[in-house]
Amino acid sequence: MSRGRPEKKRTSVLSCYFWPLLGLIGLFFWWWLAVRLLRASVPMAAYFAPEEAWHSAVRLLSRGILVRHALDSLRRVLVGLSLALAFGLPLGLLVGGIRAFDRATGLVFQLLRMVSPLSWMPLAVMFLGIGDAPVYFLLALAGVWPIILNTAAGVAAIDPKWLNLAKSLSANRREVYRYIILPGILDHLLTGLRLAIGVIWIVLVPAEMLGVQAGLGYFILDARDRMEYGDLVVAILVIGLLGATLDGAARRLRLKWLPG
Amino acid sequence: MAIKILECLNIGLHYPGNNYFTLKDINFAVEADQIVALLGESGCGKTSLLNVASGLIPATSGQVLFKGQPITTTPNGVSVVFQDACLLPWLNVAKNVAFGLGFKSLYVPKTERNCRVEAALKEVGLLDAADKYPAALSGGMAQRVSLARTLVRRSELSFLDEPFSSLDAITRRSMQQLLLNLLRAHRSSALLVTHDLDEALALADRLILIGREAGGTKLADWDLNSSLGTTGSPAAPNLRLTADHFFQALRAEISGRLSADLTD
Ligand SMILES: Nc1ncnc2c1ncn2[C@@H]1O[C@H](COP(=O)(O)OP(=O)(O)O)[C@@H](O)[C@H]1O
Ligand SMILES: [Mg+2]
């Protein structure tokens, strides 16, 4: 047993850091190679080389410009996610708890869910004007479906024995929700939140390309207009990095909040 | 005449969708400090009767009185132990035991709550496991937690639905002894559902047999403590004789069914 242990640890360190790192190095290699090959036919490709991106990154980070845009984007994610949760959780509880409501909304939700939130852009701008409001709306719309669906699945998975226990303890309706249903669906809800964060992050960038003056999506268009293609590439990298970090944080949160 | 803590009067139960009555015209009472065992083969309606008697589901006809008052929901002073321990997996042992003591229906202040939980865990021998989560408990430990959860409620009447049926024989024995000690120590009455005659004889003061053939009716009611039988059932001078009577009644019930099946 004492001999098997360190070996096991070594494989886990290997799979934890070595392979992901190798994958990243591979990505950078293909990036470099693609630019190299494209340069012959498309001279502009040179602007997108890793070296250019490196110079841009150093400049952007030293001036804190990118940090400001990233913070703007993260704020929008937070607001959008909160709105999605504020609407999605009660709706999910209703879907999971009331059969008639589930039947009545099933097709409607399925239909709405399959429409890309960006399709609502013209309407959102028309009714909410230009600025943060339509972006919040689009993000909430993107994130609300996984929360509704997972909450409803969580309610459906509640063990009837727990409800019986609550009944035997003379719990009122509020107590049943507070002490049985909400903790009982936590696992599903956190899964829903994680999915919502993912889709919100994906919708965020195009949503920020319309009518706002800050954020990573805005920054990409701005870099294009300034013809700072290195900046553009750095923005893409940061979007990927932050997205992966958010997802990792959501996953860790779920593991942390689930007991035992 | 002892005080009747629970009375079931002409209980009938029909589940919507079924074309038969699960319980028919059942009458019995549980007296103060008495442990009553409900016996019968599986499917005869024991769980249904316990659910009705504890106020978990309404009877189709008849009435349940707790200390003379008709009930429609589970009253304070009554606790239920389910077949599997029914612990909440997101709460640790101490919080599972305290579960329900913060509810409006039976609010116990926090400090008092902690005292009761500690005392109850000590009584069931699980003080060391207070911080564990249900997933880490054995079946016997889980059921002891669920006993502790009823202890903290200081209830006068406990309903137990085959509480030890999923435990191994040795654990079951010690749990039966523990239950008996706890009930005696707290002078609590109990209605115990079981399909195990040995368990009934070991724990109960009275034994009620439910039959399935006639559709969930009471077949017999024996007082195990007095040598005189009650409600027209044969006298029970000792446990062995009671067991004999029980088996005779059961055999009569089964042979009745067999001949009915044969003539079908
Ligand atoms: N919720 C229910 N709906 C319909 N029928 C039920 C329900 N619960 C129990 N029954 C029926 O009532 C009868 C008695 O069941 P139950 O009370 O669980 O018996 P026991 O606990 O003695 O095994 C069975 O025939 C069963 O099918
Ligand atoms: Mg049963």
Side-chain angles (χ1 to χ4, degrees):
Chain A
M1 198 179 137
S2 55
R3 285 183 70 215
R5 201 111 179 246
E7 202 153 344
K8 206 171 171 190
K9 201 155 195 175
R10 210 178 305 145
T11 46
S12 77
V13 167
L14 199 73
S15 59
C16 222
Y17 295 105
F18 178 76
W19 295 112
L21 212 63
L22 192 70
L24 266 184
I25 291 171
L27 176 70
F28 277 89
F29 171 74
W30 284 110
W31 174 13
W32 173 81
L33 193 68
V35 169
R36 240 0 232 279
L37 294 175
L38 274 172
R39 213 147 60 172
S41 50
V42 191
M44 236 179 84
Y47 294 120
F48 295 92
E51 308 90 270
E52 292 292 325
W54 174 251
H55 293 311
S56 286
V58 171
R59 181 168 43 79
L60 288 172
L61 287 177
S62 65
R63 293 188 198 159
I65 295 170
L66 211 50
V67 175
R68 221 186 57 225
H69 286 288
L71 285 178
D72 268 312
S73 287
L74 288 175
R75 171 179 47 89
R76 292 194 181 109
V77 168
L78 198 69
V79 174
L81 189 67
S82 307
L83 284 172
L85 186 65
F87 287 94
L89 180 59
L91 279 172
L93 290 177
L94 287 176
V95 171
I98 303 172
R99 235 192 126 69
F101 191 80
D102 179 28
R103 307 273 302 262
T105 56
L107 179 63
V108 174
F109 284 173
Q110 201 61 26
L111 200 144
L112 290 174
R113 193 169 73 94
M114 296 315 287
V115 177
S116 163
L118 292 170
S119 327
W120 299 93
M121 194 65 186
L123 285 164
V125 172
M126 218 181 289
F127 292 111
L128 298 169
I130 282 176
D132 276 342
V135 177
Y136 292 154
F137 171 76
L138 294 185
L139 297 186
L141 201 60
V144 80
W145 309 116
I147 294 181
I148 291 178
L149 293 180
N150 279 279
T151 303
V155 175
I158 291 268
D159 196 329
K161 280 180 304 202
W162 299 340
L163 298 176
N164 220 19
L165 170 72
K167 211 170 169 187
S168 82
L169 301 173
S170 308
N172 60 31
R173 212 180 167 73
R174 201 184 60 81
E175 285 159 349
V176 169
Y177 269 92
R178 167 74 182 77
Y179 296 108
I180 302 277
I181 308 236
L182 280 183
I185 64 167
L186 189 62
D187 188 9
H188 282 86
L189 181 62
L190 291 175
T191 302
L193 272 180
R194 186 180 162 209
L195 293 174
I197 288 174
V199 54
I200 283 177
W201 189 250
I202 285 171
V203 170
L204 172 77
V205 173
E208 279 181 339
M209 289 182 173
L210 294 155
V212 291
Q213 299 301 318
L216 293 169
Y218 163 82
F219 184 80
I220 286 189
L221 289 194
D222 184 53
R224 181 198 61 187
D225 294 345
R226 289 184 286 115
M227 292 193 287
E228 291 279 4
Y229 299 113
D231 288 12
L232 199 154
V233 173
V234 172
I236 290 176
L237 286 177
V238 167
I239 287 167
L241 203 69
L242 277 181
T245 309
L246 279 177
D247 186 64
R251 199 179 43 205
R252 212 151 314 137
L253 189 75
R254 181 168 162 260
L255 291 180
K256 193 175 160 226
W257 274 8
L258 295 180
Chain B
M1 188 77 208
I3 308 158
K4 285 177 179 155
I5 192 151
L6 178 82
E7 284 173 274
C8 286
L9 306 172
N10 306 318
I11 298 295
L13 179 69
H14 172 251
Y15 286 109
N18 287 358
N19 58 0
Y20 56 92
F21 267 73
T22 296
L23 300 173
K24 275 188 203 159
D25 206 23
I26 294 199
N27 286 285
F28 69 92
V30 178
E31 288 163 13
D33 302 337
Q34 207 173 38
I35 301 173
V36 176
L38 271 181
L39 258 131
E41 60 184 311
S42 90
C44 72
K46 302 183 298 293
T47 296
S48 302
L49 180 54
L50 183 122
N51 286 344
V52 168
S54 60
L56 284 173
I57 56 175
T60 312
S61 60
Q63 222 178 12
V64 179
L65 306 181
F66 175 63
K67 297 203 288 187
Q69 300 296 317
I71 61 162
T72 48
T73 57
T74 309
N76 281 331
V78 162
S79 58
V80 186
V81 176
F82 297 95
Q83 180 162 5
D84 71 339
C86 200
L87 304 180
L88 300 171
W90 56 86
L91 298 178
N92 66 19
V93 164
K95 288 191 172 145
N96 259 295
V97 172
F99 190 72
L101 289 185
F103 291 178
K104 243 193 186 138
S105 56
L106 179 69
Y107 187 81
V108 177
K110 255 231 164 81
T111 43
E112 160 81 10
R113 212 182 297 169
N114 292 339
C115 288
R116 287 196 195 184
V117 169
E118 200 180 319
L121 282 177
K122 202 178 279 173
E123 278 189 276
V124 299
L126 280 180
L127 208 48
D128 294 337
D131 296 326
K132 286 197 170 144
Y133 281 88
L137 303 179
S138 69
M141 287 165 93
Q143 202 53 277
R144 276 190 280 164
V145 175
S146 113
L147 283 183
R149 184 172 57 197
T150 67
L151 282 180
V152 294
R153 298 183 74 74
R154 307 265 163 89
S155 50
E156 297 158 76
L157 174 62
S158 301
F159 290 92
L160 304 105
D161 189 359
E162 307 200 23
F164 311 133
S165 63
S166 59
L167 304 179
D168 63 86
I170 294 168
T171 313
R172 194 184 313 147
R173 277 273 176 258
S174 63
M175 289 294 295
Q176 287 166 354
Q177 195 54 50
L178 176 67
L179 175 67
L180 202 55
N181 295 344
L182 293 174
L183 289 173
R184 295 272 178 257
H186 294 270
R187 298 183 55 84
S188 173
S189 318
L191 185 65
L192 169 76
V193 163
T194 179
H195 58 242
D196 178 358
L197 179 60
D198 285 335
E199 179 166 283
L201 292 176
L203 296 179
D205 303 304
R206 242 177 67 217
L207 208 152
I208 293 173
L209 179 64
I210 306 286
R212 190 168 78 175
E213 183 54 18
T217 46
K218 187 169 94 171
L219 292 183
D221 191 335
W222 290 288
D223 191 333
L224 300 184
N225 292 332
S226 79
S227 54
L228 295 168
T230 54
T231 59
S233 62
N238 59 42
L239 292 184
R240 184 91 328 255
L241 204 56
T242 307
D244 286 344
H245 284 311
F246 175 82
F247 281 122
Q248 269 168 27
L250 202 60
R251 213 170 288 135
E253 147 103 347
I254 289 168
S255 64
R257 170 131 21 99
L258 282 178
S259 57
D261 284 349
L262 288 175
T263 53
D264 271 350

mmCIF file of all heavy atoms in Angstrom, chain A residues 161-162 164-165 167-172 175 179-180 183-184 259-260, chain B residues 56 74 80 82 84 86-90 99 103-105 133 149 153:
data_model
loop_
_atom_site.group_PDB
_atom_site.id
_atom_site.type_symbol
_atom_site.label_atom_id
_atom_site.label_comp_id
_atom_site.label_asym_id
_atom_site.label_seq_id
_atom_site.Cartn_x
_atom_site.Cartn_y
_atom_site.Cartn_z
ATOM 1 N N LYS A 161 -40.018 10.485 -0.088
ATOM 2 C CA LYS A 161 -39.882 10.164 1.341
ATOM 3 C C LYS A 161 -39.512 11.404 2.147
ATOM 4 O O LYS A 161 -39.929 11.564 3.286
ATOM 5 C CB LYS A 161 -38.794 9.094 1.528
ATOM 6 C CG LYS A 161 -39.278 7.706 1.240
ATOM 7 C CD LYS A 161 -38.165 6.691 1.444
ATOM 8 C CE LYS A 161 -36.964 7.034 0.615
ATOM 9 N NZ LYS A 161 -36.054 5.932 0.323
ATOM 10 N N TRP A 162 -38.709 12.307 1.531
ATOM 11 C CA TRP A 162 -38.321 13.523 2.239
ATOM 12 C C TRP A 162 -39.546 14.407 2.473
ATOM 13 O O TRP A 162 -39.677 15.037 3.518
ATOM 14 C CB TRP A 162 -37.270 14.299 1.456
ATOM 15 C CG TRP A 162 -36.000 13.543 1.223
ATOM 16 C CD1 TRP A 162 -35.565 12.463 1.941
ATOM 17 C CD2 TRP A 162 -35.020 13.780 0.216
ATOM 18 N NE1 TRP A 162 -34.359 12.031 1.429
ATOM 19 C CE2 TRP A 162 -34.006 12.815 0.380
ATOM 20 C CE3 TRP A 162 -34.896 14.723 -0.808
ATOM 21 C CZ2 TRP A 162 -32.888 12.760 -0.440
ATOM 22 C CZ3 TRP A 162 -33.781 14.675 -1.621
ATOM 23 C CH2 TRP A 162 -32.789 13.702 -1.446
ATOM 24 N N ASN A 164 -42.572 13.303 2.745
ATOM 25 C CA ASN A 164 -43.342 12.613 3.774
ATOM 26 C C ASN A 164 -42.790 12.929 5.162
ATOM 27 O O ASN A 164 -43.540 13.167 6.114
ATOM 28 C CB ASN A 164 -43.276 11.107 3.519
ATOM 29 C CG ASN A 164 -44.605 10.441 3.762
ATOM 30 O OD1 ASN A 164 -45.631 11.102 3.778
ATOM 31 N ND2 ASN A 164 -44.573 9.142 3.962
ATOM 32 N N LEU A 165 -41.460 12.944 5.250
ATOM 33 C CA LEU A 165 -40.810 13.295 6.522
ATOM 34 C C LEU A 165 -41.225 14.707 6.944
ATOM 35 O O LEU A 165 -41.614 14.925 8.097
ATOM 36 C CB LEU A 165 -39.288 13.218 6.359
ATOM 37 C CG LEU A 165 -38.483 13.782 7.533
ATOM 38 C CD1 LEU A 165 -38.574 12.851 8.726
ATOM 39 C CD2 LEU A 165 -37.024 14.009 7.147
ATOM 40 N N LYS A 167 -43.833 16.287 6.155
ATOM 41 C CA LYS A 167 -45.238 16.255 6.537
ATOM 42 C C LYS A 167 -45.386 15.738 7.972
ATOM 43 O O LYS A 167 -46.159 16.275 8.756
ATOM 44 C CB LYS A 167 -45.973 15.331 5.564
ATOM 45 C CG LYS A 167 -47.403 15.709 5.300
ATOM 46 C CD LYS A 167 -47.890 14.849 4.148
ATOM 47 C CE LYS A 167 -49.379 14.954 3.975
ATOM 48 N NZ LYS A 167 -49.849 13.998 2.969
ATOM 49 N N SER A 168 -44.609 14.700 8.282
ATOM 50 C CA SER A 168 -44.712 14.128 9.628
ATOM 51 C C SER A 168 -44.179 15.096 10.675
ATOM 52 O O SER A 168 -44.470 14.951 11.867
ATOM 53 C CB SER A 168 -43.952 12.800 9.699
ATOM 54 O OG SER A 168 -42.566 13.022 9.900
ATOM 55 N N LEU A 169 -43.385 16.084 10.253
ATOM 56 C CA LEU A 169 -42.868 17.086 11.191
ATOM 57 C C LEU A 169 -43.711 18.358 11.127
ATOM 58 O O LEU A 169 -43.293 19.402 11.622
ATOM 59 C CB LEU A 169 -41.404 17.406 10.870
ATOM 60 C CG LEU A 169 -40.429 16.228 10.928
ATOM 61 C CD1 LEU A 169 -39.058 16.631 10.439
ATOM 62 C CD2 LEU A 169 -40.347 15.664 12.336
ATOM 63 N N SER A 170 -44.880 18.257 10.496
ATOM 64 C CA SER A 170 -45.807 19.390 10.362
ATOM 65 C C SER A 170 -45.149 20.629 9.768
ATOM 66 O O SER A 170 -45.368 21.745 10.222
ATOM 67 C CB SER A 170 -46.412 19.764 11.719
ATOM 68 O OG SER A 170 -46.953 18.642 12.334
ATOM 69 N N ALA A 171 -44.323 20.426 8.737
ATOM 70 C CA ALA A 171 -43.719 21.575 8.060
ATOM 71 C C ALA A 171 -44.782 22.296 7.241
ATOM 72 O O ALA A 171 -45.646 21.649 6.655
ATOM 73 C CB ALA A 171 -42.591 21.101 7.147
ATOM 74 N N ASN A 172 -44.733 23.636 7.256
ATOM 75 C CA ASN A 172 -45.638 24.356 6.365
ATOM 76 C C ASN A 172 -45.001 24.474 4.989
ATOM 77 O O ASN A 172 -43.871 24.044 4.767
ATOM 78 C CB ASN A 172 -46.025 25.727 6.951
ATOM 79 C CG ASN A 172 -44.805 26.624 7.168
ATOM 80 O OD1 ASN A 172 -43.832 26.535 6.431
ATOM 81 N ND2 ASN A 172 -44.870 27.481 8.169
ATOM 82 N N GLU A 175 -41.596 26.118 4.750
ATOM 83 C CA GLU A 175 -40.540 25.282 5.340
ATOM 84 C C GLU A 175 -40.173 24.120 4.420
ATOM 85 O O GLU A 175 -39.011 23.730 4.336
ATOM 86 C CB GLU A 175 -40.977 24.780 6.715
ATOM 87 C CG GLU A 175 -40.920 25.870 7.773
ATOM 88 C CD GLU A 175 -41.801 25.599 8.989
ATOM 89 O OE1 GLU A 175 -42.629 24.656 8.948
ATOM 90 O OE2 GLU A 175 -41.678 26.347 9.958
ATOM 91 N N TYR A 179 -36.381 24.026 3.419
ATOM 92 C CA TYR A 179 -35.545 22.998 4.053
ATOM 93 C C TYR A 179 -35.479 21.671 3.306
ATOM 94 O O TYR A 179 -34.629 20.845 3.590
ATOM 95 C CB TYR A 179 -36.023 22.748 5.487
ATOM 96 C CG TYR A 179 -35.860 23.954 6.366
ATOM 97 C CD1 TYR A 179 -36.953 24.693 6.785
ATOM 98 C CD2 TYR A 179 -34.588 24.390 6.763
ATOM 99 C CE1 TYR A 179 -36.809 25.820 7.581
ATOM 100 C CE2 TYR A 179 -34.430 25.508 7.539
ATOM 101 C CZ TYR A 179 -35.542 26.223 7.956
ATOM 102 O OH TYR A 179 -35.370 27.341 8.722
ATOM 103 N N ILE A 180 -36.395 21.445 2.373
ATOM 104 C CA ILE A 180 -36.348 20.185 1.623
ATOM 105 C C ILE A 180 -36.064 20.452 0.142
ATOM 106 O O ILE A 180 -35.093 19.936 -0.408
ATOM 107 C CB ILE A 180 -37.680 19.399 1.742
ATOM 108 C CG1 ILE A 180 -38.006 19.103 3.196
ATOM 109 C CG2 ILE A 180 -37.615 18.132 0.908
ATOM 110 C CD1 ILE A 180 -37.341 17.907 3.782
ATOM 111 N N PRO A 183 -32.540 22.728 -0.744
ATOM 112 C CA PRO A 183 -31.314 21.927 -0.590
ATOM 113 C C PRO A 183 -31.333 20.675 -1.460
ATOM 114 O O PRO A 183 -30.295 20.244 -1.952
ATOM 115 C CB PRO A 183 -31.274 21.553 0.896
ATOM 116 C CG PRO A 183 -32.508 22.078 1.507
ATOM 117 C CD PRO A 183 -33.254 22.904 0.527
ATOM 118 N N GLY A 184 -32.529 20.125 -1.680
ATOM 119 C CA GLY A 184 -32.638 18.898 -2.468
ATOM 120 C C GLY A 184 -32.289 19.105 -3.929
ATOM 121 O O GLY A 184 -31.839 18.184 -4.592
ATOM 122 N N PRO A 259 -22.271 18.334 0.185
ATOM 123 C CA PRO A 259 -21.679 17.807 1.408
ATOM 124 C C PRO A 259 -21.143 16.395 1.236
ATOM 125 O O PRO A 259 -21.394 15.731 0.241
ATOM 126 C CB PRO A 259 -22.864 17.795 2.367
ATOM 127 C CG PRO A 259 -24.045 17.596 1.493
ATOM 128 C CD PRO A 259 -23.729 18.281 0.191
ATOM 129 N N GLY A 260 -20.433 15.994 2.270
ATOM 130 C CA GLY A 260 -20.010 14.600 2.385
ATOM 131 C C GLY A 260 -18.894 14.292 1.429
ATOM 132 O O GLY A 260 -18.739 13.254 0.946
ATOM 133 N N LEU B 56 -50.764 11.254 8.374
ATOM 134 C CA LEU B 56 -50.060 11.556 7.122
ATOM 135 C C LEU B 56 -50.996 11.526 5.924
ATOM 136 O O LEU B 56 -50.831 12.297 4.989
ATOM 137 C CB LEU B 56 -48.902 10.572 6.905
ATOM 138 C CG LEU B 56 -47.657 10.816 7.762
ATOM 139 C CD1 LEU B 56 -46.650 9.689 7.585
ATOM 140 C CD2 LEU B 56 -47.016 12.149 7.382
ATOM 141 N N THR B 74 -50.458 15.392 11.106
ATOM 142 C CA THR B 74 -49.660 14.862 12.209
ATOM 143 C C THR B 74 -49.577 15.893 13.330
ATOM 144 O O THR B 74 -49.076 16.995 13.117
ATOM 145 C CB THR B 74 -48.239 14.530 11.725
ATOM 146 O OG1 THR B 74 -48.346 13.730 10.554
ATOM 147 C CG2 THR B 74 -47.474 13.761 12.788
ATOM 148 N N VAL B 80 -42.835 10.021 13.735
ATOM 149 C CA VAL B 80 -42.884 8.874 12.841
ATOM 150 C C VAL B 80 -41.467 8.428 12.499
ATOM 151 O O VAL B 80 -40.615 9.248 12.170
ATOM 152 C CB VAL B 80 -43.638 9.229 11.534
ATOM 153 C CG1 VAL B 80 -43.806 7.985 10.666
ATOM 154 C CG2 VAL B 80 -44.984 9.853 11.834
ATOM 155 N N PHE B 82 -39.552 6.035 9.860
ATOM 156 C CA PHE B 82 -39.868 5.375 8.605
ATOM 157 C C PHE B 82 -39.039 4.111 8.415
ATOM 158 O O PHE B 82 -38.062 3.868 9.124
ATOM 159 C CB PHE B 82 -39.632 6.331 7.440
ATOM 160 C CG PHE B 82 -40.544 7.531 7.502
ATOM 161 C CD1 PHE B 82 -40.107 8.712 8.083
ATOM 162 C CD2 PHE B 82 -41.838 7.470 7.007
ATOM 163 C CE1 PHE B 82 -40.947 9.814 8.162
ATOM 164 C CE2 PHE B 82 -42.671 8.558 7.083
ATOM 165 C CZ PHE B 82 -42.228 9.737 7.660
ATOM 166 N N ASP B 84 -36.973 3.022 5.929
ATOM 167 C CA ASP B 84 -35.554 3.346 5.842
ATOM 168 C C ASP B 84 -35.389 4.639 6.634
ATOM 169 O O ASP B 84 -36.335 5.385 6.829
ATOM 170 C CB ASP B 84 -35.062 3.455 4.400
ATOM 171 C CG ASP B 84 -35.591 4.684 3.706
ATOM 172 O OD1 ASP B 84 -36.607 5.209 4.179
ATOM 173 O OD2 ASP B 84 -35.011 5.098 2.701
ATOM 174 N N CYS B 86 -34.537 7.512 6.311
ATOM 175 C CA CYS B 86 -35.040 8.752 5.757
ATOM 176 C C CYS B 86 -34.281 9.962 6.315
ATOM 177 O O CYS B 86 -34.875 10.915 6.805
ATOM 178 C CB CYS B 86 -36.538 8.889 6.030
ATOM 179 S SG CYS B 86 -37.354 10.056 4.941
ATOM 180 N N LEU B 87 -32.958 9.888 6.227
ATOM 181 C CA LEU B 87 -32.137 11.029 6.624
ATOM 182 C C LEU B 87 -31.922 11.917 5.414
ATOM 183 O O LEU B 87 -31.937 11.449 4.280
ATOM 184 C CB LEU B 87 -30.788 10.551 7.167
ATOM 185 C CG LEU B 87 -30.853 9.569 8.330
ATOM 186 C CD1 LEU B 87 -29.459 9.172 8.775
ATOM 187 C CD2 LEU B 87 -31.639 10.167 9.489
ATOM 188 N N LEU B 88 -31.713 13.213 5.671
ATOM 189 C CA LEU B 88 -31.476 14.139 4.570
ATOM 190 C C LEU B 88 -29.977 14.161 4.272
ATOM 191 O O LEU B 88 -29.171 14.478 5.145
ATOM 192 C CB LEU B 88 -31.978 15.534 4.949
ATOM 193 C CG LEU B 88 -33.478 15.549 5.252
ATOM 194 C CD1 LEU B 88 -33.914 16.870 5.838
ATOM 195 C CD2 LEU B 88 -34.265 15.229 3.987
ATOM 196 N N PRO B 89 -29.603 13.803 3.043
ATOM 197 C CA PRO B 89 -28.179 13.597 2.745
ATOM 198 C C PRO B 89 -27.333 14.871 2.821
ATOM 199 O O PRO B 89 -26.122 14.787 2.906
ATOM 200 C CB PRO B 89 -28.188 13.036 1.324
ATOM 201 C CG PRO B 89 -29.509 13.367 0.760
ATOM 202 C CD PRO B 89 -30.461 13.476 1.905
ATOM 203 N N TRP B 90 -27.977 16.043 2.765
ATOM 204 C CA TRP B 90 -27.187 17.278 2.782
ATOM 205 C C TRP B 90 -26.976 17.811 4.204
ATOM 206 O O TRP B 90 -26.351 18.838 4.401
ATOM 207 C CB TRP B 90 -27.849 18.361 1.922
ATOM 208 C CG TRP B 90 -29.257 18.674 2.299
ATOM 209 C CD1 TRP B 90 -29.676 19.558 3.249
ATOM 210 C CD2 TRP B 90 -30.439 18.111 1.731
ATOM 211 N NE1 TRP B 90 -31.042 19.563 3.314
ATOM 212 C CE2 TRP B 90 -31.536 18.700 2.394
ATOM 213 C CE3 TRP B 90 -30.673 17.173 0.719
ATOM 214 C CZ2 TRP B 90 -32.857 18.368 2.072
ATOM 215 C CZ3 TRP B 90 -31.983 16.862 0.426
ATOM 216 C CH2 TRP B 90 -33.043 17.451 1.086
ATOM 217 N N PHE B 99 -33.497 18.325 12.832
ATOM 218 C CA PHE B 99 -34.385 18.733 11.747
ATOM 219 C C PHE B 99 -35.841 18.779 12.205
ATOM 220 O O PHE B 99 -36.364 17.820 12.767
ATOM 221 C CB PHE B 99 -34.253 17.776 10.560
ATOM 222 C CG PHE B 99 -34.945 18.263 9.323
ATOM 223 C CD1 PHE B 99 -34.438 19.315 8.590
ATOM 224 C CD2 PHE B 99 -36.126 17.675 8.912
ATOM 225 C CE1 PHE B 99 -35.079 19.777 7.455
ATOM 226 C CE2 PHE B 99 -36.778 18.127 7.771
ATOM 227 C CZ PHE B 99 -36.249 19.179 7.047
ATOM 228 N N PHE B 103 -39.022 24.403 13.059
ATOM 229 C CA PHE B 103 -40.278 24.689 12.354
ATOM 230 C C PHE B 103 -41.252 25.407 13.258
ATOM 231 O O PHE B 103 -41.224 25.266 14.482
ATOM 232 C CB PHE B 103 -40.923 23.399 11.840
ATOM 233 C CG PHE B 103 -40.158 22.732 10.724
ATOM 234 C CD1 PHE B 103 -40.605 21.540 10.186
ATOM 235 C CD2 PHE B 103 -39.005 23.296 10.219
ATOM 236 C CE1 PHE B 103 -39.910 20.922 9.151
ATOM 237 C CE2 PHE B 103 -38.298 22.698 9.194
ATOM 238 C CZ PHE B 103 -38.754 21.499 8.662
ATOM 239 N N LYS B 104 -42.140 26.139 12.621
ATOM 240 C CA LYS B 104 -43.137 26.918 13.353
ATOM 241 C C LYS B 104 -43.999 26.032 14.255
ATOM 242 O O LYS B 104 -44.354 26.425 15.358
ATOM 243 C CB LYS B 104 -44.047 27.634 12.350
ATOM 244 C CG LYS B 104 -43.976 29.147 12.441
ATOM 245 C CD LYS B 104 -45.118 29.745 11.653
ATOM 246 C CE LYS B 104 -44.992 31.247 11.603
ATOM 247 N NZ LYS B 104 -45.301 31.780 10.272
ATOM 248 N N SER B 105 -44.293 24.823 13.753
ATOM 249 C CA SER B 105 -45.235 23.968 14.475
ATOM 250 C C SER B 105 -44.697 23.511 15.829
ATOM 251 O O SER B 105 -45.461 23.237 16.744
ATOM 252 C CB SER B 105 -45.573 22.766 13.605
ATOM 253 O OG SER B 105 -44.378 22.104 13.237
ATOM 254 N N TYR B 133 -21.840 12.615 7.732
ATOM 255 C CA TYR B 133 -22.973 12.734 6.819
ATOM 256 C C TYR B 133 -23.604 11.361 6.600
ATOM 257 O O TYR B 133 -22.922 10.331 6.727
ATOM 258 C CB TYR B 133 -22.530 13.356 5.496
ATOM 259 C CG TYR B 133 -22.397 14.853 5.624
ATOM 260 C CD1 TYR B 133 -21.211 15.439 6.041
ATOM 261 C CD2 TYR B 133 -23.493 15.681 5.385
ATOM 262 C CE1 TYR B 133 -21.103 16.814 6.189
ATOM 263 C CE2 TYR B 133 -23.399 17.056 5.535
ATOM 264 C CZ TYR B 133 -22.202 17.614 5.940
ATOM 265 O OH TYR B 133 -22.111 18.959 6.105
ATOM 266 N N ARG B 149 -33.850 11.454 16.166
ATOM 267 C CA ARG B 149 -34.659 12.550 15.617
ATOM 268 C C ARG B 149 -36.063 12.562 16.237
ATOM 269 O O ARG B 149 -36.669 13.615 16.397
ATOM 270 C CB ARG B 149 -34.750 12.424 14.090
ATOM 271 C CG ARG B 149 -35.490 13.556 13.423
ATOM 272 C CD ARG B 149 -35.380 13.470 11.914
ATOM 273 N NE ARG B 149 -35.859 12.208 11.396
ATOM 274 C CZ ARG B 149 -35.580 11.740 10.186
ATOM 275 N NH1 ARG B 149 -34.822 12.435 9.372
ATOM 276 N NH2 ARG B 149 -36.044 10.582 9.792
ATOM 277 N N ARG B 153 -37.973 15.271 19.871
ATOM 278 C CA ARG B 153 -39.299 15.895 19.805
ATOM 279 C C ARG B 153 -40.097 15.657 21.086
ATOM 280 O O ARG B 153 -41.176 16.199 21.261
ATOM 281 C CB ARG B 153 -40.075 15.375 18.598
ATOM 282 C CG ARG B 153 -39.390 15.704 17.291
ATOM 283 C CD ARG B 153 -40.193 15.240 16.104
ATOM 284 N NE ARG B 153 -41.359 16.077 15.845
ATOM 285 C CZ ARG B 153 -41.297 17.291 15.316
ATOM 286 N NH1 ARG B 153 -40.144 17.798 14.990
ATOM 287 N NH2 ARG B 153 -42.395 17.986 15.108
#
